Amino acid sequence: TSRLVGPSEPTVEAGVQVGEDQDPHTVVFIVMDTVRAENTNLCGYARPNTPTLNGLRESGAAVSCNAHTPSFWTLPSHASYFTGLPVVEHGAFKWGDRLSEDASTLAEDMSARGYRTVMLAGNPLFKKITGLQQGFDFAYVQSRHTGGRPLVNAVRKLLDDVPTDEKLFLFVNIFDAHDPYPAIPEGVDWVEPQGPLALFSTPPNWLRPMQNYTDYTRGEMPEGESEELLKGVRNGYDYGIYKADQILGSVLQALNDAPRAQRSSRLLVTSDHGEFLGEHERLRHNCCVFEAVTRVPLLFKDSSLKEQPDLSGNLSALWAYHLVKDGRLPDEAGIPTALGVSGGGDHPRVQVAMWSSDTDKVVFDERPHRFDLATDPSEQTPLRLGQHPLRSELSAMTVTARRTLSRSPAADPEMDELLQELGYVDPDRE
């Protein structure tokens, strides 16, 4: 069969290898929002929080635990996933930006190839104003962070409504690993119970950060209290990943239960960014290109291929665009790059990272430097860049980003209001 979690064997219809001259019947692109590789059992983490991801690997999916996201927050990373462009080229990277209507999107391309295109998003940021819905025939976006169960129901309803003989492109954003973290009940044998944990207040007072969050990030929290806070944050985050993995499993089960599961299928699962859990005295993910927020898992499985692509080595999560669209990595991949802008007002801060290998990382963050991730995986000791082979590329991208930023329009007031409402930015930020 070609079941999404079944054996990775080619599907043959009427004696023709599916994929040689036609697209898979069902293409599914799933982003597990805010899931960093380091905290997944799939990638060696001790806690057993990703049984569904582990099952995909065991069923033959190609896996990377070293994929680098295009940026450190939702909008620019998804804009790259949907356009195939690095952040510096599509330009939707600062607070208040939206994806341009002039952009050519993955959903538009899939629609032109005869697919019904559907977006089901647990992250409220996917509202139409962001531009991320461009090209989708239908979009369902949860208005609040209420867990992923409504997404599973939406998938089952979709599969009832779309005829089995119609090609389907389905994008799903699973938001359960994002804070506020759910309560951990009694009986989970790998993490102790605790109540819900919100780093930002929940609606209608979402705009105001919790006092313990601001005390910690400003360095004003006593050491004993900060240790207790970080323990709760890590537990809540790890359990949030587990809940996201459960929702992923339910989505895949719904697809496998549908009649279309007997046809060819293509599946890609990744994340848009990670999360700070106290590294560099930070929480959440509203800045910076450190590994905690740029390194994510990526899994790919195409039942129409004799062999899955090789995802070992240095990988850009941006290449998800090509894997979803064409079932293969780009011919001219280039090097993985992450770019973001943090802060607001008159002095936004451009940050750029490039990886020449799994362990060699060059960065511009107020000044150029590099990290040797083999000896310094927590990025505590920046090294002189010197005459690094990527020095000129790093400089060129930084200059381009600053130029684009200086020419870009002012933040869209509606977008800025949405970001404040969802807790992405503090209205009192400088």
Side-chain angles (χ1 to χ4, degrees), residues 30-35 49-50 52-53 148 174-178 182 237-251:
I30 298 178
V31 172
M32 300 173 72
D33 209 296
T34 324
V35 172
N49 58 351
T50 56
T52 303
L53 292 179
I174 300 173
F175 200 46
D176 293 63
H178 196 288
Y237 179 65
D238 289 346
Y239 187 70
I241 291 177
Y242 174 69
K243 297 295 288 184
D245 185 86
Q246 283 188 316
I247 296 302
L248 172 65
S250 296
V251 169

Side-chain angles (χ1 to χ4, degrees), residues 352-419:
V352 181
M354 295 180 171
W355 291 261
S356 64
S357 71
D358 292 351
T359 58
D360 183 43
K361 178 179 181 180
V362 300
V363 176
F364 183 90
D365 185 0
E366 300 185 310
R367 64 180 180 83
H369 55 277
R370 70 181 183 89
F371 290 106
D372 180 351
L373 299 176
T375 60
D376 182 25
S378 58
E379 300 170 280
Q380 297 295 323
T381 308
L383 305 172
R384 289 175 60 103
L385 191 58
Q387 297 304 309
H388 193 283
L390 292 180
R391 185 181 186 99
S392 60
E393 290 187 56
L394 180 69
S395 176
M397 181 164 287
T398 303
V399 169
T400 300
R402 285 176 163 172
R403 185 180 299 124
T404 302
L405 190 62
S406 68
R407 295 174 179 174
S408 64
D412 185 313
E414 290 185 77
M415 269 294 297
D416 197 57
E417 183 179 347
L418 175 62
L419 292 171

Side-chain angles (χ1 to χ4, degrees), residues 145 175-182 196-203 206 284:
H145 186 1
F175 200 46
D176 293 63
H178 196 288
D179 75 291
Y181 305 125
L197 178 60
L199 296 178
F200 269 60
S201 300
T202 53
W206 186 273
R284 308 186 91 229

Side-chain angles (χ1 to χ4, degrees), residues 168-388:
L168 174 66
F169 169 55
L170 173 62
F171 169 79
V172 182
N173 173 281
I174 300 173
F175 200 46
D176 293 63
H178 196 288
D179 75 291
Y181 305 125
I184 303 174
E186 299 276 355
V188 182
D189 59 9
W190 51 267
V191 63
E192 62 191 67
Q194 68 180 35
L197 178 60
L199 296 178
F200 269 60
S201 300
T202 53
N205 298 311
W206 186 273
L207 304 186
R208 292 285 174 252
M210 300 289 280
Q211 189 62 45
N212 56 6
Y213 169 81
T214 54
D215 285 350
Y216 177 80
T217 55
R218 293 173 181 171
E220 299 171 356
M221 179 175 284
E223 183 175 348
E225 292 182 26
S226 64
E227 290 176 357
E228 190 66 22
L229 172 65
L230 293 181
K231 177 183 176 182
V233 167
R234 183 171 290 273
N235 286 345
Y237 179 65
D238 289 346
Y239 187 70
I241 291 177
Y242 174 69
K243 297 295 288 184
D245 185 86
Q246 283 188 316
I247 296 302
L248 172 65
S250 296
V251 169
L252 296 180
Q253 188 60 57
L255 287 159
N256 284 339
D257 290 343
R260 67 175 45 249
Q262 303 307 314
R263 308 286 291 274
S264 57
S265 61
R266 178 181 295 159
L267 170 69
L268 188 140
V269 182
T270 190
S271 181
D272 54 345
H273 56 77
E275 187 81 316
F276 284 115
L277 304 176
E279 298 88 355
H280 306 282
E281 291 71 52
R282 295 186 179 276
L283 298 170
R284 308 186 91 229
H285 52 271
N286 58 354
C287 93
C288 308
V289 288
F290 290 112
E291 297 291 289
V293 288
T294 60
R295 191 165 66 88
V296 298
L298 189 148
L299 302 90
F300 178 81
K301 184 177 181 182
D302 190 326
S303 70
S304 69
L305 300 177
K306 293 180 180 179
E307 294 183 2
Q308 303 302 307
D310 180 5
L311 300 185
S312 62
N314 214 25
L315 188 74
S316 172
L318 169 62
W319 301 339
Y321 169 87
H322 302 276
L323 287 164
V324 170
K325 185 167 71 76
D326 302 319
R328 58 182 174 81
L329 294 169
D331 295 330
E332 298 181 4
I335 59 172
T337 300
L339 185 151
V341 175
S342 61
D346 297 328
H347 302 287
R349 178 177 162 192
V350 172
Q351 297 144 359
V352 181
M354 295 180 171
W355 291 261
S356 64
S357 71
D358 292 351
T359 58
D360 183 43
K361 178 179 181 180
V362 300
V363 176
F364 183 90
D365 185 0
E366 300 185 310
R367 64 180 180 83
H369 55 277
R370 70 181 183 89
F371 290 106
D372 180 351
L373 299 176
T375 60
D376 182 25
S378 58
E379 300 170 280
Q380 297 295 323
T381 308
L383 305 172
R384 289 175 60 103
L385 191 58
Q387 297 304 309
H388 193 283

